[in-house]
Amino acid sequence: MSEPGKGVNAGKLASNVQKRITRVQEKMMQKLGKADETKDTVFEEGVANFNKQMAEGTKLQRDLRAYLAAIKTMHECSKHLQECLSDMYEPDWFGKEEVDSITEDSDIVWEDLHQKLMDSALNSMDTYMAQFPEIKARIAKRDRKLVDFDSARHHFASIQKAKKKDEAKTAKAEEELARAQKVFEEINCDLQEELPSLWNSRVGFYVTTFQSIAALEETFHREIGKVRAELGGQRAGGLGQGRASGRMQVKALHDYAATDNDELDLKAGDVVLVIPYINSDEQDEGWLLGVKESSWLQNKNLTAKGVFPENFTQRL
C-alpha cells in the first residue's frame, strides 16, 4: 500500500514536469513565429539596468576586497619594518621606550583604517549586493510566469476558435487563464516598482561609499604622518645619543647666548647631544646641531633642539 505523502509528492512532480514541457512548447512556438509573445519594453530596459547595476556592484565589491587585502599586506610590511628598526635601536639610547610606543601607535592607526573601511565600506557593500540574488530569482520567476500566461492565453483562444464548443473546457481554460494572469501580474507589478527604485539608489550608495573611503584615507594619512614624524625625530635623537661612544656628546666650556630663534642657549657645564644633519649641506662650518641632555631627559623630544658654535664646547 502506497503512503499518502508519496502520492502527493508524485502528483506534484508530475505537475511540475508538465509545466516545464508546456513552457518549452510555448517558447518554441514563439520562436517559430507561430505564437505571439507578450512584450514589455519598459520592463526589459529595467532588467538590462538591473544586470548592469549588479555587474558594476560585483566588480566594486571585488575591488574593495582586494583594496582591503592590500591594506592588510601594507600594514604587515610596515609592522615588520618598524619592528626591524626598533630592534636596531639600542636599549641604552635615549627614547627607546618612546620609539616602541610610537611603533605601537603606528600599528593602531593601520588597524583603525582597516576596521573602519570594513565597517563603513565593505559591510555596506555586502549588504547592498545581498539584495541582487533574490531579485534576480524573482525576475527569472516572472519570466516563467509570463510564459505560463501566454500559454494559457493561447490555449483559451484555441478553444474559443474550435468549431465544436465545449462549455466545460472553455470555462476551465478561462479559469486557468485568469489564474495565470493573476500570478504573473502580482510578481510583475512588484518588480515594476522595485527595479527603477533599485537603479536610482546606486548613485547615492556610490557617493556615500567613495566619500567614506576618501575621508578615512585622509584621516589615515594625516595620523600616520604624525606618527612617522615623531618616530623620525625620536630615532634621530637616539642615533645622536647612540654615537656618544663616537664622541657625539659635547660639554659647554662657556656660556653662549642665542642670537636667533634656531640657536641654543648654553651655560658652562651643559651636556649637549649632537644630532647629525639629515642634509649635510645645511650645516654651517663651525656650528653643530643638538639638544641639551637635561631637556631630552625631561621631555624626550627634539622640540628644544638648536644650533650652537662648536668652539664653545668640548667633545666628551
Side-chain angles (χ1 to χ4, degrees), residues 87-121:
D87 290 342
M88 294 165 58
Y89 201 100
E90 297 182 12
D92 59 335
W93 293 356
F94 288 110
K96 170 62 176 173
E97 292 181 0
E98 284 71 19
V99 167
D100 292 340
S101 175
I102 293 171
T103 300
E104 291 177 5
D105 291 343
S106 175
D107 195 45
I108 291 171
V109 172
W110 276 104
E111 289 179 350
D112 186 59
L113 172 65
H114 187 272
Q115 187 59 52
K116 285 182 177 177
L117 281 171
M118 284 283 293
D119 293 340
S120 65

PDB file of all heavy atoms in Angstrom, residues 87-121:
ATOM      1  N   ASP A  87      64.331  46.954  16.661  1.00  0.00           N
ATOM      2  CA  ASP A  87      65.363  46.001  17.118  1.00  0.00           C
ATOM      3  C   ASP A  87      66.759  46.585  16.951  1.00  0.00           C
ATOM      4  O   ASP A  87      67.667  46.300  17.753  1.00  0.00           O
ATOM      5  CB  ASP A  87      65.260  44.698  16.320  1.00  0.00           C
ATOM      6  CG  ASP A  87      64.011  43.904  16.664  1.00  0.00           C
ATOM      7  OD1 ASP A  87      63.434  44.177  17.739  1.00  0.00           O
ATOM      8  OD2 ASP A  87      63.609  43.037  15.866  1.00  0.00           O
ATOM      9  N   MET A  88      66.928  47.417  15.922  1.00  0.00           N
ATOM     10  CA  MET A  88      68.234  48.040  15.681  1.00  0.00           C
ATOM     11  C   MET A  88      68.501  49.188  16.657  1.00  0.00           C
ATOM     12  O   MET A  88      69.652  49.598  16.828  1.00  0.00           O
ATOM     13  CB  MET A  88      68.288  48.569  14.239  1.00  0.00           C
ATOM     14  CG  MET A  88      68.246  47.481  13.181  1.00  0.00           C
ATOM     15  SD  MET A  88      67.886  48.153  11.531  1.00  0.00           S
ATOM     16  CE  MET A  88      69.227  49.321  11.332  1.00  0.00           C
ATOM     17  N   TYR A  89      67.448  49.706  17.273  1.00  0.00           N
ATOM     18  CA  TYR A  89      67.560  50.843  18.191  1.00  0.00           C
ATOM     19  C   TYR A  89      68.066  50.324  19.527  1.00  0.00           C
ATOM     20  O   TYR A  89      67.349  49.647  20.263  1.00  0.00           O
ATOM     21  CB  TYR A  89      66.182  51.491  18.342  1.00  0.00           C
ATOM     22  CG  TYR A  89      66.194  52.923  18.817  1.00  0.00           C
ATOM     23  CD1 TYR A  89      66.050  53.965  17.917  1.00  0.00           C
ATOM     24  CD2 TYR A  89      66.327  53.228  20.164  1.00  0.00           C
ATOM     25  CE1 TYR A  89      66.034  55.282  18.336  1.00  0.00           C
ATOM     26  CE2 TYR A  89      66.324  54.540  20.599  1.00  0.00           C
ATOM     27  CZ  TYR A  89      66.174  55.570  19.681  1.00  0.00           C
ATOM     28  OH  TYR A  89      66.160  56.868  20.114  1.00  0.00           O
ATOM     29  N   GLU A  90      69.304  50.618  19.847  1.00  0.00           N
ATOM     30  CA  GLU A  90      69.941  50.012  21.023  1.00  0.00           C
ATOM     31  C   GLU A  90      69.276  50.465  22.327  1.00  0.00           C
ATOM     32  O   GLU A  90      68.863  51.617  22.454  1.00  0.00           O
ATOM     33  CB  GLU A  90      71.430  50.343  21.029  1.00  0.00           C
ATOM     34  CG  GLU A  90      72.156  49.752  19.823  1.00  0.00           C
ATOM     35  CD  GLU A  90      73.637  50.044  19.845  1.00  0.00           C
ATOM     36  OE1 GLU A  90      74.143  50.500  20.892  1.00  0.00           O
ATOM     37  OE2 GLU A  90      74.296  49.808  18.817  1.00  0.00           O
ATOM     38  N   PRO A  91      69.181  49.544  23.305  1.00  0.00           N
ATOM     39  CA  PRO A  91      68.455  49.827  24.556  1.00  0.00           C
ATOM     40  C   PRO A  91      68.988  51.011  25.338  1.00  0.00           C
ATOM     41  O   PRO A  91      68.239  51.672  26.051  1.00  0.00           O
ATOM     42  CB  PRO A  91      68.620  48.528  25.356  1.00  0.00           C
ATOM     43  CG  PRO A  91      68.877  47.477  24.321  1.00  0.00           C
ATOM     44  CD  PRO A  91      69.659  48.158  23.242  1.00  0.00           C
ATOM     45  N   ASP A  92      70.299  51.297  25.222  1.00  0.00           N
ATOM     46  CA  ASP A  92      70.863  52.376  26.035  1.00  0.00           C
ATOM     47  C   ASP A  92      70.744  53.739  25.366  1.00  0.00           C
ATOM     48  O   ASP A  92      71.164  54.751  25.926  1.00  0.00           O
ATOM     49  CB  ASP A  92      72.331  52.085  26.359  1.00  0.00           C
ATOM     50  CG  ASP A  92      73.177  51.934  25.097  1.00  0.00           C
ATOM     51  OD1 ASP A  92      72.600  51.590  24.052  1.00  0.00           O
ATOM     52  OD2 ASP A  92      74.404  52.150  25.182  1.00  0.00           O
ATOM     53  N   TRP A  93      70.173  53.775  24.163  1.00  0.00           N
ATOM     54  CA  TRP A  93      69.964  55.060  23.516  1.00  0.00           C
ATOM     55  C   TRP A  93      68.739  55.744  24.124  1.00  0.00           C
ATOM     56  O   TRP A  93      67.774  55.090  24.522  1.00  0.00           O
ATOM     57  CB  TRP A  93      69.750  54.886  22.014  1.00  0.00           C
ATOM     58  CG  TRP A  93      70.959  54.400  21.277  1.00  0.00           C
ATOM     59  CD1 TRP A  93      72.195  54.176  21.788  1.00  0.00           C
ATOM     60  CD2 TRP A  93      71.020  54.062  19.894  1.00  0.00           C
ATOM     61  NE1 TRP A  93      73.050  53.724  20.825  1.00  0.00           N
ATOM     62  CE2 TRP A  93      72.354  53.648  19.638  1.00  0.00           C
ATOM     63  CE3 TRP A  93      70.115  54.080  18.836  1.00  0.00           C
ATOM     64  CZ2 TRP A  93      72.786  53.256  18.376  1.00  0.00           C
ATOM     65  CZ3 TRP A  93      70.542  53.694  17.584  1.00  0.00           C
ATOM     66  CH2 TRP A  93      71.871  53.284  17.350  1.00  0.00           C
ATOM     67  N   PHE A  94      68.787  57.070  24.153  1.00  0.00           N
ATOM     68  CA  PHE A  94      67.658  57.808  24.695  1.00  0.00           C
ATOM     69  C   PHE A  94      66.411  57.604  23.823  1.00  0.00           C
ATOM     70  O   PHE A  94      66.492  57.574  22.606  1.00  0.00           O
ATOM     71  CB  PHE A  94      67.981  59.307  24.775  1.00  0.00           C
ATOM     72  CG  PHE A  94      68.957  59.656  25.852  1.00  0.00           C
ATOM     73  CD1 PHE A  94      70.246  60.074  25.523  1.00  0.00           C
ATOM     74  CD2 PHE A  94      68.602  59.546  27.185  1.00  0.00           C
ATOM     75  CE1 PHE A  94      71.155  60.383  26.520  1.00  0.00           C
ATOM     76  CE2 PHE A  94      69.513  59.855  28.182  1.00  0.00           C
ATOM     77  CZ  PHE A  94      70.805  60.277  27.852  1.00  0.00           C
ATOM     78  N   GLY A  95      65.254  57.475  24.477  1.00  0.00           N
ATOM     79  CA  GLY A  95      64.000  57.382  23.743  1.00  0.00           C
ATOM     80  C   GLY A  95      63.616  55.988  23.290  1.00  0.00           C
ATOM     81  O   GLY A  95      62.707  55.839  22.477  1.00  0.00           O
ATOM     82  N   LYS A  96      64.298  54.947  23.792  1.00  0.00           N
ATOM     83  CA  LYS A  96      63.979  53.580  23.380  1.00  0.00           C
ATOM     84  C   LYS A  96      62.520  53.254  23.659  1.00  0.00           C
ATOM     85  O   LYS A  96      61.801  52.717  22.796  1.00  0.00           O
ATOM     86  CB  LYS A  96      64.893  52.595  24.098  1.00  0.00           C
ATOM     87  CG  LYS A  96      64.509  51.120  23.946  1.00  0.00           C
ATOM     88  CD  LYS A  96      64.564  50.660  22.504  1.00  0.00           C
ATOM     89  CE  LYS A  96      64.272  49.175  22.406  1.00  0.00           C
ATOM     90  NZ  LYS A  96      64.144  48.714  21.003  1.00  0.00           N
ATOM     91  N   GLU A  97      62.018  53.576  24.845  1.00  0.00           N
ATOM     92  CA  GLU A  97      60.624  53.291  25.194  1.00  0.00           C
ATOM     93  C   GLU A  97      59.665  54.091  24.317  1.00  0.00           C
ATOM     94  O   GLU A  97      58.609  53.591  23.917  1.00  0.00           O
ATOM     95  CB  GLU A  97      60.373  53.601  26.668  1.00  0.00           C
ATOM     96  CG  GLU A  97      61.105  52.668  27.625  1.00  0.00           C
ATOM     97  CD  GLU A  97      60.805  52.996  29.078  1.00  0.00           C
ATOM     98  OE1 GLU A  97      60.026  53.950  29.306  1.00  0.00           O
ATOM     99  OE2 GLU A  97      61.324  52.304  29.961  1.00  0.00           O
ATOM    100  N   GLU A  98      60.037  55.330  24.017  1.00  0.00           N
ATOM    101  CA  GLU A  98      59.181  56.168  23.182  1.00  0.00           C
ATOM    102  C   GLU A  98      59.094  55.614  21.755  1.00  0.00           C
ATOM    103  O   GLU A  98      58.036  55.642  21.129  1.00  0.00           O
ATOM    104  CB  GLU A  98      59.714  57.608  23.145  1.00  0.00           C
ATOM    105  CG  GLU A  98      59.445  58.404  24.404  1.00  0.00           C
ATOM    106  CD  GLU A  98      60.284  57.953  25.592  1.00  0.00           C
ATOM    107  OE1 GLU A  98      61.322  57.286  25.364  1.00  0.00           O
ATOM    108  OE2 GLU A  98      59.896  58.230  26.735  1.00  0.00           O
ATOM    109  N   VAL A  99      60.209  55.111  21.255  1.00  0.00           N
ATOM    110  CA  VAL A  99      60.214  54.523  19.915  1.00  0.00           C
ATOM    111  C   VAL A  99      59.288  53.311  19.869  1.00  0.00           C
ATOM    112  O   VAL A  99      58.500  53.137  18.931  1.00  0.00           O
ATOM    113  CB  VAL A  99      61.642  54.124  19.487  1.00  0.00           C
ATOM    114  CG1 VAL A  99      61.617  53.238  18.236  1.00  0.00           C
ATOM    115  CG2 VAL A  99      62.473  55.368  19.222  1.00  0.00           C
ATOM    116  N   ASP A 100      59.360  52.461  20.896  1.00  0.00           N
ATOM    117  CA  ASP A 100      58.475  51.296  20.953  1.00  0.00           C
ATOM    118  C   ASP A 100      57.010  51.721  21.034  1.00  0.00           C
ATOM    119  O   ASP A 100      56.140  51.116  20.402  1.00  0.00           O
ATOM    120  CB  ASP A 100      58.825  50.432  22.169  1.00  0.00           C
ATOM    121  CG  ASP A 100      60.190  49.777  22.026  1.00  0.00           C
ATOM    122  OD1 ASP A 100      60.679  49.670  20.881  1.00  0.00           O
ATOM    123  OD2 ASP A 100      60.770  49.366  23.053  1.00  0.00           O
ATOM    124  N   SER A 101      56.752  52.794  21.807  1.00  0.00           N
ATOM    125  CA  SER A 101      55.377  53.281  21.952  1.00  0.00           C
ATOM    126  C   SER A 101      54.862  53.848  20.634  1.00  0.00           C
ATOM    127  O   SER A 101      53.709  53.600  20.249  1.00  0.00           O
ATOM    128  CB  SER A 101      55.328  54.352  23.042  1.00  0.00           C
ATOM    129  OG  SER A 101      54.042  54.914  23.128  1.00  0.00           O
ATOM    130  N   ILE A 102      55.709  54.588  19.924  1.00  0.00           N
ATOM    131  CA  ILE A 102      55.298  55.173  18.641  1.00  0.00           C
ATOM    132  C   ILE A 102      55.050  54.078  17.617  1.00  0.00           C
ATOM    133  O   ILE A 102      54.135  54.164  16.791  1.00  0.00           O
ATOM    134  CB  ILE A 102      56.369  56.164  18.141  1.00  0.00           C
ATOM    135  CG1 ILE A 102      56.421  57.383  19.079  1.00  0.00           C
ATOM    136  CG2 ILE A 102      56.068  56.621  16.724  1.00  0.00           C
ATOM    137  CD1 ILE A 102      57.588  58.316  18.814  1.00  0.00           C
ATOM    138  N   THR A 103      55.853  53.014  17.661  1.00  0.00           N
ATOM    139  CA  THR A 103      55.641  51.871  16.764  1.00  0.00           C
ATOM    140  C   THR A 103      54.271  51.245  17.012  1.00  0.00           C
ATOM    141  O   THR A 103      53.561  50.875  16.074  1.00  0.00           O
ATOM    142  CB  THR A 103      56.746  50.820  16.971  1.00  0.00           C
ATOM    143  OG1 THR A 103      58.019  51.408  16.690  1.00  0.00           O
ATOM    144  CG2 THR A 103      56.541  49.616  16.058  1.00  0.00           C
ATOM    145  N   GLU A 104      53.896  51.144  18.283  1.00  0.00           N
ATOM    146  CA  GLU A 104      52.568  50.622  18.625  1.00  0.00           C
ATOM    147  C   GLU A 104      51.470  51.550  18.117  1.00  0.00           C
ATOM    148  O   GLU A 104      50.424  51.094  17.633  1.00  0.00           O
ATOM    149  CB  GLU A 104      52.451  50.444  20.142  1.00  0.00           C
ATOM    150  CG  GLU A 104      53.318  49.325  20.700  1.00  0.00           C
ATOM    151  CD  GLU A 104      53.218  49.223  22.216  1.00  0.00           C
ATOM    152  OE1 GLU A 104      52.400  49.966  22.801  1.00  0.00           O
ATOM    153  OE2 GLU A 104      53.947  48.413  22.807  1.00  0.00           O
ATOM    154  N   ASP A 105      51.708  52.864  18.223  1.00  0.00           N
ATOM    155  CA  ASP A 105      50.722  53.835  17.710  1.00  0.00           C
ATOM    156  C   ASP A 105      50.522  53.667  16.214  1.00  0.00           C
ATOM    157  O   ASP A 105      49.392  53.764  15.704  1.00  0.00           O
ATOM    158  CB  ASP A 105      51.180  55.262  18.015  1.00  0.00           C
ATOM    159  CG  ASP A 105      51.124  55.589  19.497  1.00  0.00           C
ATOM    160  OD1 ASP A 105      50.450  54.851  20.236  1.00  0.00           O
ATOM    161  OD2 ASP A 105      51.766  56.576  19.908  1.00  0.00           O
ATOM    162  N   SER A 106      51.608  53.445  15.499  1.00  0.00           N
ATOM    163  CA  SER A 106      51.521  53.219  14.053  1.00  0.00           C
ATOM    164  C   SER A 106      50.676  52.001  13.750  1.00  0.00           C
ATOM    165  O   SER A 106      49.835  52.010  12.840  1.00  0.00           O
ATOM    166  CB  SER A 106      52.928  53.041  13.470  1.00  0.00           C
ATOM    167  OG  SER A 106      52.857  52.719  12.096  1.00  0.00           O
ATOM    168  N   ASP A 107      50.869  50.954  14.526  1.00  0.00           N
ATOM    169  CA  ASP A 107      50.100  49.720  14.351  1.00  0.00           C
ATOM    170  C   ASP A 107      48.607  49.979  14.573  1.00  0.00           C
ATOM    171  O   ASP A 107      47.754  49.481  13.825  1.00  0.00           O
ATOM    172  CB  ASP A 107      50.610  48.667  15.343  1.00  0.00           C
ATOM    173  CG  ASP A 107      50.136  47.274  15.006  1.00  0.00           C
ATOM    174  OD1 ASP A 107      50.191  46.881  13.832  1.00  0.00           O
ATOM    175  OD2 ASP A 107      49.697  46.552  15.929  1.00  0.00           O
ATOM    176  N   ILE A 108      48.290  50.789  15.561  1.00  0.00           N
ATOM    177  CA  ILE A 108      46.891  51.113  15.875  1.00  0.00           C
ATOM    178  C   ILE A 108      46.250  51.907  14.742  1.00  0.00           C
ATOM    179  O   ILE A 108      45.094  51.668  14.379  1.00  0.00           O
ATOM    180  CB  ILE A 108      46.809  51.905  17.204  1.00  0.00           C
ATOM    181  CG1 ILE A 108      47.182  50.995  18.383  1.00  0.00           C
ATOM    182  CG2 ILE A 108      45.425  52.496  17.405  1.00  0.00           C
ATOM    183  CD1 ILE A 108      47.330  51.733  19.703  1.00  0.00           C
ATOM    184  N   VAL A 109      47.013  52.847  14.152  1.00  0.00           N
ATOM    185  CA  VAL A 109      46.485  53.654  13.050  1.00  0.00           C
ATOM    186  C   VAL A 109      46.138  52.773  11.857  1.00  0.00           C
ATOM    187  O   VAL A 109      45.078  52.925  11.229  1.00  0.00           O
ATOM    188  CB  VAL A 109      47.497  54.747  12.640  1.00  0.00           C
ATOM    189  CG1 VAL A 109      47.027  55.464  11.366  1.00  0.00           C
ATOM    190  CG2 VAL A 109      47.665  55.764  13.761  1.00  0.00           C
ATOM    191  N   TRP A 110      47.016  51.818  11.540  1.00  0.00           N
ATOM    192  CA  TRP A 110      46.741  50.893  10.430  1.00  0.00           C
ATOM    193  C   TRP A 110      45.506  50.047  10.721  1.00  0.00           C
ATOM    194  O   TRP A 110      44.634  49.870   9.862  1.00  0.00           O
ATOM    195  CB  TRP A 110      47.944  49.978  10.213  1.00  0.00           C
ATOM    196  CG  TRP A 110      49.029  50.559   9.365  1.00  0.00           C
ATOM    197  CD1 TRP A 110      50.236  51.064   9.783  1.00  0.00           C
ATOM    198  CD2 TRP A 110      49.033  50.717   7.942  1.00  0.00           C
ATOM    199  NE1 TRP A 110      50.971  51.520   8.720  1.00  0.00           N
ATOM    200  CE2 TRP A 110      50.263  51.310   7.571  1.00  0.00           C
ATOM    201  CE3 TRP A 110      48.118  50.410   6.942  1.00  0.00           C
ATOM    202  CZ2 TRP A 110      50.588  51.598   6.253  1.00  0.00           C
ATOM    203  CZ3 TRP A 110      48.439  50.688   5.615  1.00  0.00           C
ATOM    204  CH2 TRP A 110      49.664  51.274   5.288  1.00  0.00           C
ATOM    205  N   GLU A 111      45.428  49.494  11.930  1.00  0.00           N
ATOM    206  CA  GLU A 111      44.287  48.649  12.292  1.00  0.00           C
ATOM    207  C   GLU A 111      42.986  49.441  12.276  1.00  0.00           C
ATOM    208  O   GLU A 111      41.937  48.923  11.867  1.00  0.00           O
ATOM    209  CB  GLU A 111      44.511  48.036  13.682  1.00  0.00           C
ATOM    210  CG  GLU A 111      45.590  46.965  13.715  1.00  0.00           C
ATOM    211  CD  GLU A 111      45.799  46.397  15.108  1.00  0.00           C
ATOM    212  OE1 GLU A 111      45.230  46.971  16.075  1.00  0.00           O
ATOM    213  OE2 GLU A 111      46.527  45.398  15.243  1.00  0.00           O
ATOM    214  N   ASP A 112      43.057  50.692  12.709  1.00  0.00           N
ATOM    215  CA  ASP A 112      41.868  51.550  12.728  1.00  0.00           C
ATOM    216  C   ASP A 112      41.359  51.795  11.304  1.00  0.00           C
ATOM    217  O   ASP A 112      40.149  51.743  11.054  1.00  0.00           O
ATOM    218  CB  ASP A 112      42.216  52.874  13.406  1.00  0.00           C
ATOM    219  CG  ASP A 112      40.997  53.760  13.602  1.00  0.00           C
ATOM    220  OD1 ASP A 112      40.059  53.311  14.284  1.00  0.00           O
ATOM    221  OD2 ASP A 112      40.975  54.885  13.082  1.00  0.00           O
ATOM    222  N   LEU A 113      42.284  52.037  10.374  1.00  0.00           N
ATOM    223  CA  LEU A 113      41.891  52.242   8.974  1.00  0.00           C
ATOM    224  C   LEU A 113      41.202  51.000   8.422  1.00  0.00           C
ATOM    225  O   LEU A 113      40.132  51.094   7.805  1.00  0.00           O
ATOM    226  CB  LEU A 113      43.122  52.573   8.127  1.00  0.00           C
ATOM    227  CG  LEU A 113      42.881  52.621   6.604  1.00  0.00           C
ATOM    228  CD1 LEU A 113      41.939  53.765   6.245  1.00  0.00           C
ATOM    229  CD2 LEU A 113      44.199  52.746   5.848  1.00  0.00           C
ATOM    230  N   HIS A 114      41.804  49.848   8.640  1.00  0.00           N
ATOM    231  CA  HIS A 114      41.251  48.595   8.104  1.00  0.00           C
ATOM    232  C   HIS A 114      39.871  48.307   8.681  1.00  0.00           C
ATOM    233  O   HIS A 114      38.933  47.974   7.939  1.00  0.00           O
ATOM    234  CB  HIS A 114      42.204  47.441   8.403  1.00  0.00           C
ATOM    235  CG  HIS A 114      41.822  46.151   7.749  1.00  0.00           C
ATOM    236  ND1 HIS A 114      40.962  45.241   8.336  1.00  0.00           N
ATOM    237  CD2 HIS A 114      42.141  45.632   6.535  1.00  0.00           C
ATOM    238  CE1 HIS A 114      40.797  44.224   7.516  1.00  0.00           C
ATOM    239  NE2 HIS A 114      41.499  44.420   6.423  1.00  0.00           N
ATOM    240  N   GLN A 115      39.731  48.475   9.994  1.00  0.00           N
ATOM    241  CA  GLN A 115      38.451  48.180  10.642  1.00  0.00           C
ATOM    242  C   GLN A 115      37.360  49.136  10.196  1.00  0.00           C
ATOM    243  O   GLN A 115      36.215  48.718   9.920  1.00  0.00           O
ATOM    244  CB  GLN A 115      38.604  48.234  12.163  1.00  0.00           C
ATOM    245  CG  GLN A 115      37.366  47.768  12.928  1.00  0.00           C
ATOM    246  CD  GLN A 115      36.974  46.348  12.588  1.00  0.00           C
ATOM    247  OE1 GLN A 115      37.798  45.442  12.653  1.00  0.00           O
ATOM    248  NE2 GLN A 115      35.719  46.126  12.230  1.00  0.00           N
ATOM    249  N   LYS A 116      37.684  50.417  10.080  1.00  0.00           N
ATOM    250  CA  LYS A 116      36.673  51.401   9.680  1.00  0.00           C
ATOM    251  C   LYS A 116      36.272  51.220   8.220  1.00  0.00           C
ATOM    252  O   LYS A 116      35.111  51.450   7.863  1.00  0.00           O
ATOM    253  CB  LYS A 116      37.192  52.823   9.931  1.00  0.00           C
ATOM    254  CG  LYS A 116      37.184  53.190  11.416  1.00  0.00           C
ATOM    255  CD  LYS A 116      37.649  54.612  11.647  1.00  0.00           C
ATOM    256  CE  LYS A 116      37.550  54.966  13.134  1.00  0.00           C
ATOM    257  NZ  LYS A 116      38.056  56.319  13.415  1.00  0.00           N
ATOM    258  N   LEU A 117      37.215  50.815   7.382  1.00  0.00           N
ATOM    259  CA  LEU A 117      36.863  50.517   5.991  1.00  0.00           C
ATOM    260  C   LEU A 117      35.949  49.300   5.921  1.00  0.00           C
ATOM    261  O   LEU A 117      35.028  49.235   5.107  1.00  0.00           O
ATOM    262  CB  LEU A 117      38.129  50.274   5.167  1.00  0.00           C
ATOM    263  CG  LEU A 117      38.901  51.516   4.720  1.00  0.00           C
ATOM    264  CD1 LEU A 117      40.241  51.132   4.119  1.00  0.00           C
ATOM    265  CD2 LEU A 117      38.091  52.327   3.721  1.00  0.00           C
ATOM    266  N   MET A 118      36.208  48.336   6.789  1.00  0.00           N
ATOM    267  CA  MET A 118      35.341  47.159   6.861  1.00  0.00           C
ATOM    268  C   MET A 118      33.930  47.576   7.268  1.00  0.00           C
ATOM    269  O   MET A 118      32.941  47.168   6.635  1.00  0.00           O
ATOM    270  CB  MET A 118      35.893  46.158   7.882  1.00  0.00           C
ATOM    271  CG  MET A 118      37.100  45.366   7.414  1.00  0.00           C
ATOM    272  SD  MET A 118      36.669  44.034   6.269  1.00  0.00           S
ATOM    273  CE  MET A 118      35.738  42.957   7.352  1.00  0.00           C
ATOM    274  N   ASP A 119      33.842  48.401   8.304  1.00  0.00           N
ATOM    275  CA  ASP A 119      32.535  48.775   8.858  1.00  0.00           C
ATOM    276  C   ASP A 119      31.748  49.694   7.917  1.00  0.00           C
ATOM    277  O   ASP A 119      30.552  49.485   7.695  1.00  0.00           O
ATOM    278  CB  ASP A 119      32.715  49.483  10.207  1.00  0.00           C
ATOM    279  CG  ASP A 119      33.271  48.542  11.270  1.00  0.00           C
ATOM    280  OD1 ASP A 119      33.159  47.311  11.089  1.00  0.00           O
ATOM    281  OD2 ASP A 119      33.839  49.031  12.267  1.00  0.00           O
ATOM    282  N   SER A 120      32.404  50.715   7.386  1.00  0.00           N
ATOM    283  CA  SER A 120      31.672  51.736   6.633  1.00  0.00           C
ATOM    284  C   SER A 120      31.599  51.466   5.138  1.00  0.00           C
ATOM    285  O   SER A 120      30.724  51.999   4.460  1.00  0.00           O
ATOM    286  CB  SER A 120      32.320  53.112   6.852  1.00  0.00           C
ATOM    287  OG  SER A 120      33.624  53.133   6.307  1.00  0.00           O
ATOM    288  N   ALA A 121      32.511  50.657   4.606  1.00  0.00           N
ATOM    289  CA  ALA A 121      32.534  50.437   3.163  1.00  0.00           C
ATOM    290  C   ALA A 121      32.187  48.999   2.783  1.00  0.00           C
ATOM    291  O   ALA A 121      31.185  48.749   2.101  1.00  0.00           O
ATOM    292  CB  ALA A 121      33.906  50.813   2.594  1.00  0.00           C
TER     293      ALA A 121
END
